[in-house]
Amino acid sequence: MTDSVPFFVAVASGMIRCATPVLLASVGECLTQRSGVMNLGLEGIMLAGALVAVVVSYFTQNVLLAILAALLVGLVIGFVHGVICIRLQANQVAAGIAMTILLGGITAFFGVNFVGKSIATISAVKIPVLGDIPIVGTIFFNQDPLVYLCYFIVPVVYWLINRTSFGLSLRAVGEDPRAAAAAGIDVQRVRYLCTMLGASLAALGGAYLALVYAQGWVENITAGRGWIAVGLVMFAAWNPWKALIGAYLFGLAISLQLRLQAAGSDVSPYLLGMLPYFLVITAMALSSIMARRKSQSHPAALGIPYAEQT
Amino acid sequence: MQNKPRIMAARFFLRALLVAIYWVAFCSAVHAADNKPLKVGFIYTGSATDWGWNNAHDLGRQYLESTKRGSVITTRAENIPENSDCERVMEKMVAQGNKVIFATSYGFLEPALRVAKRHPDVRFMHCGRLVPAGSKNVGSYFCSDYYEYLYAAGITAAKMTKSNKIGYVGGHPIPALVWCINAFTLGARSVNPKATVHVVWTNSWEDPALEAEAARGLIERGCDVLLSTLNTSLTVCKVAEKAKVYSIGTNFDLHTLVPSGWLTGQSWNWGPLYVKVVESIQNNTWKPDNLRYGLADGYVVLAPFGKAVPKAVQAQALDAIEKLKQHKRAVFAPPLKDRDGAVRLVKGEPIDTAWLEKMNWFVPGVEGNLPKK
């Protein structure tokens, strides 16, 4: 057996790829939910992001435009979810699920024409100096540009939520919108903004699936990753860093189980297939038990529409 | 009080609408009774346009509808999970007046058997597995011998590989995939004894990201030809194409989408079979049989060779198929041992569907786990 890459390096590098789409979506959802809006439409938004990325990439053969288009579509869907949940004050759970079903159908309908079409895809780009570091360089800095973007997004979102005045507003809006409004914060505007940003990150996650993985459109390309992202947010106690840990655990388990199989391991593929979900649930359950001691819980106004007092 | 005339007008309008609906329904019922086209339903586990297994069945459905225009009406249900949901869909199809239902996936057999008991006047045809004896209105159809094309594909792969490692991505470890892997490996080892086939299961018929990562994992292990049995081989082929390794497709001809690395593949031609089955129902000669067909019947076909395959290799693969068709050669020939050394086929033992369906072992040369039941 002469492997081109050592086993654990291949596993770790696969982990990063597997985690990225889920991570993007769940970090975005952290932001959305911290402002008090629940968006269960991630699965559908990822599908929409993936399809739009494929369509734009097919017509322009330009991945940058494809990514921008996916982000834009995310913003638009986030806005629609905002209109339904923030302005019209509909039930957020029902609206999110309806959005997923609707977008699942729409993408399947329009996606048919794009199955198998040859599109511009994203390849790995080695970062000059960092990429030459043995092991670490191969794992972290020999990836595609969207992964590098992901390295920035998590700290930026964390910083945005916890260290900026906008973050203070959005946390206030998510905990007690009435008090926030009394303090002069435009509750609805903050919630719109967070919902739209969160949705556009989910759409970016979808674009990743299409442009890096499947290299084209396949119906139901997400295969449940949007739901995993929603689950990660809750178990990660609305903290982007914990969502990162959760997403990487999920990615690690997938990458590991596939490579164990490829290496001819004698463990049942059923057990291995269970690994990603088992690891994530265990780790997150442990972390939420620990978090409860520090009395961290969900944003108090999560899922509750806010009616402006007139 | 001033609302009252409006309410009455609304009531009148609703009644008129109801009468109109009844009238249309009545007329269409009378119309239907005149022609009595046979209604045929198709149930797919994935999308009808997946460039794979379900797509192949849907092409068959379209062929049936266009060939028997006027006497057959088809409907289809896509993305139906292999659980009790499937029963609900079958019940709905029966309620809509479908008299024949094609259940095209491995896990649709049990639901079909249950629904069939409740509706003795509806015929069910299941694709893949053997229907247990005693069922009056459930039959099955398949070309179990499709593994003979995979034997030829194995020859092609083993001639083209430089690393002698071939990767396989499979959905679920069911017998139909196991005998396909075994036939492929036997074909490969018949021309290149050093060839090994490395198996990875995704535990899903459709999860493109997982399939892509599995393919990458195999390429990292040094595999330079990838084969897959999933709803569609498209994702694995695309990953292979990008990594500049060869690929082989199953269930659907993808050679136009994988221009440089495509070697060959196996695809289906269900249309003529669907016409045959439906005609047998229309002239009352249908029986609840397990219909099994071979290569000569033409319901399973070899996909075109890719331009990467030299003529000599193509000739060798085609020659093997010709010999298999003429029974001058057998894929599974006694004495056949599994990779642990146990004898699995002795002289005189028939290689029938029952024997194939019990296959839960790998031949020498296959690497990877096979879960035991």
Side-chain angles (χ1 to χ4, degrees):
Chain A
M1 284 281 169
T2 46
D3 289 358
S4 45
V5 224
F7 183 75
F8 79 95
V9 173
V11 168
S13 155
M15 163 188 92
I16 307 237
R17 275 194 302 272
C18 292
T20 298
V22 179
L23 180 57
L24 285 168
S26 64
V27 166
E29 183 73 2
C30 278
L31 193 69
T32 308
Q33 294 201 0
R34 282 303 274 273
S35 79
V37 178
M38 191 179 291
N39 187 355
L40 296 189
L42 293 192
E43 178 83 2
I45 297 169
M46 287 177 87
L47 282 171
L51 180 60
V52 166
V54 167
V55 172
V56 172
S57 173
Y58 171 65
F59 284 116
T60 65
Q61 294 292 319
N62 182 332
V63 277
L64 196 65
L65 287 178
I67 289 169
L68 288 176
L71 285 171
L72 190 69
V73 160
L75 286 177
V76 171
I77 299 170
F79 180 74
V80 172
H81 187 70
V83 170
I84 296 166
C85 296
I86 302 169
R87 190 181 155 79
L88 304 177
Q89 303 178 9
N91 181 313
Q92 297 178 7
V93 173
I97 292 172
M99 186 68 91
T100 290
I101 296 170
L102 175 71
L103 290 173
I106 290 178
T107 52
F109 180 77
F110 289 105
V112 166
N113 307 314
F114 293 92
V115 178
K117 287 273 161 53
S118 173
I119 63 166
T121 57
I122 301 178
S123 308
V125 179
K126 194 160 119 184
I127 293 187
V129 180
L130 292 171
D132 293 326
I133 306 170
I135 300 174
V136 175
T138 323
I139 296 173
F140 292 100
F141 302 111
N142 214 332
Q143 299 278 6
D144 50 86
L146 280 180
V147 168
Y148 302 141
L149 185 67
C150 217
Y151 295 159
F152 287 103
I153 282 176
V154 177
V156 163
V157 169
Y158 183 82
W159 174 77
L160 188 71
I161 294 175
N162 295 295
R163 298 277 184 274
T164 63
S165 69
F166 176 72
L168 190 63
S169 312
L170 89 86
R171 278 180 290 147
V173 163
E175 295 295 338
D176 190 342
R178 201 173 289 188
I185 298 170
D186 187 340
V187 175
Q188 303 218 338
R189 203 177 64 181
V190 171
R191 286 190 166 177
Y192 265 113
L193 213 59
C194 291
T195 310
M196 287 164 69
L197 283 176
S200 75
L201 284 180
L204 184 61
Y208 187 90
L209 286 174
L211 297 176
V212 177
Y213 268 129
Q215 295 160 35
W217 171 252
V218 181
E219 196 181 315
N220 195 19
I221 191 169
T222 49
R225 277 169 185 71
W227 296 112
I228 288 167
V230 172
L232 274 181
V233 174
M234 300 189 180
F235 284 119
W238 295 268
N239 178 337
W241 284 114
K242 284 190 188 162
L244 176 122
I245 295 171
Y248 277 11
L249 267 176
F250 174 77
L252 173 69
I254 289 187
S255 172
L256 180 69
Q257 69 105 343
L258 291 173
R259 282 171 179 79
L260 275 178
Q261 286 196 52
S265 137
D266 214 26
V267 188
S268 160
Y270 293 137
L271 282 177
L272 290 174
M274 224 169 64
L275 203 61
Y277 308 95
F278 179 76
L279 257 185
V280 168
I281 288 175
T282 316
M284 292 306 170
L286 284 177
S287 90
S288 78
I289 289 169
M290 271 150 39
R292 202 181 297 156
R293 284 201 199 121
K294 285 187 266 170
S295 77
Q296 266 184 1
S297 61
H298 64 84
L302 180 59
I304 305 164
Y306 171 69
E308 217 133 278
Q309 312 290 310
T310 45
Chain B
M1 287 303 275
Q2 60 180 8
N3 273 346
K4 215 170 176 191
R6 211 180 284 171
I7 290 172
M8 284 176 66
R11 274 190 190 156
F12 174 78
F13 177 72
L14 278 177
R15 269 183 210 149
L17 196 70
L18 217 60
V19 169
I21 290 170
Y22 278 137
W23 187 73
V24 170
F26 176 74
C27 288
S28 53
V30 167
H31 181 72
D34 283 342
N35 289 336
K36 264 197 187 161
L38 184 65
K39 288 178 111 181
V40 183
F42 287 79
I43 304 180
Y44 310 133
T45 177
S47 156
T49 47
D50 64 2
W51 290 79
W53 175 261
N54 302 293
N55 210 158
H57 283 290
D58 200 59
L59 290 182
R61 181 192 65 82
Q62 291 168 29
Y63 179 89
L64 169 69
E65 193 159 79
S66 64
T67 316
K68 308 284 291 175
R69 195 173 295 281
S71 69
V72 170
I73 297 175
T74 66
T75 45
R76 70 178 188 205
E78 304 169 75
N79 296 312
I80 307 302
E82 296 177 308
N83 55 27
S84 53
D85 261 14
C86 174
E87 255 181 272
R88 185 179 54 75
V89 173
M90 286 175 183
E91 286 288 356
K92 192 177 158 206
M93 280 191 165
V94 171
Q96 285 167 345
N98 288 288
K99 292 293 169 206
V100 187
I101 291 176
F102 286 94
T104 63
S105 187
Y106 185 86
F108 288 170
L109 176 59
E110 287 82 7
L113 288 170
R114 283 194 288 270
V115 178
K117 260 189 202 154
R118 297 195 283 266
H119 304 283
D121 60 321
V122 180
R123 270 69 178 259
F124 291 80
M125 284 299 277
H126 165 73
C127 182
R129 285 149 79 193
L130 286 177
V131 171
S135 145
K136 295 229 162 36
N137 55 337
V138 186
S140 77
Y141 61 101
F142 200 39
C143 311
S144 318
D145 293 354
Y146 81 92
Y147 64 77
E148 296 183 334
Y149 282 131
L150 280 144
Y151 183 85
I155 292 175
T156 317
K159 281 277 168 190
M160 300 299 292
T161 176
K162 289 188 180 68
S163 64
N164 293 327
K165 287 188 199 168
I166 301 160
Y168 177 91
V169 184
H172 294 283
I174 59 173
L177 268 58
V178 173
W179 77 62
C180 142
I181 295 169
N182 281 342
F184 182 86
T185 311
L186 288 168
R189 304 265 273 198
S190 74
V191 295
N192 180 354
K194 277 189 272 175
T196 50
V197 176
H198 302 255
V199 178
V200 174
W201 304 105
T202 60
N203 293 322
S204 152
W205 292 123
E206 189 178 58
D207 186 338
L210 207 58
E211 293 156 15
E213 197 59 39
R216 285 194 193 209
L218 287 163
I219 295 168
E220 285 161 9
R221 293 294 291 181
C223 297
D224 60 357
V225 181
L226 293 188
L227 165 77
S228 57
T229 315
L230 300 152
N231 267 359
T232 174
S233 298
L234 187 58
T235 305
V236 173
C237 288
K238 286 228 164 189
V239 172
E241 186 82 347
K242 199 169 180 183
K244 299 197 168 60
V245 302
Y246 297 123
S247 58
I248 295 173
T250 55
N251 294 331
F252 212 76
D253 173 15
L254 301 168
H255 81 278
T256 51
L257 304 180
V258 194
S260 56
W262 175 266
L263 295 184
T264 179
Q266 156 270 326
S267 69
W268 305 101
N269 178 29
W270 294 120
L273 176 60
Y274 286 156
V275 170
K276 202 167 126 174
V277 169
V278 165
E279 276 174 352
S280 79
I281 288 169
Q282 283 172 326
N283 55 33
N284 289 322
T285 54
W286 185 87
K287 285 195 224 53
D289 289 333
N290 289 304
L291 305 172
R292 288 298 179 273
Y293 299 97
L295 303 196
D297 298 294
Y299 304 135
V300 57
V301 289
L302 188 74
F305 286 102
K307 62 180 179 206
V309 187
K311 284 275 176 285
V313 176
Q314 296 187 15
Q316 198 170 357
L318 290 174
D319 177 59
I321 290 173
E322 209 43 52
K323 286 196 172 119
L324 289 168
K325 274 187 186 166
Q326 294 165 7
H327 302 288
K328 282 182 188 159
R329 187 194 274 201
V331 172
F332 299 112
L336 185 65
K337 284 183 181 170
D338 68 17
R339 63 179 178 183
D340 302 319
V343 178
R344 294 296 187 167
L345 184 69
V346 291
K347 212 162 186 183
E349 200 175 341
I351 302 167
D352 52 11
T353 312
W355 182 78
L356 286 170
E357 287 221 345
K358 278 188 297 208
M359 198 181 281
N360 61 348
W361 41 270
F362 280 144
V363 296
V366 185
E367 295 193 9
N369 188 278
L370 179 61
K372 295 273 183 291
K373 272 182 190 156

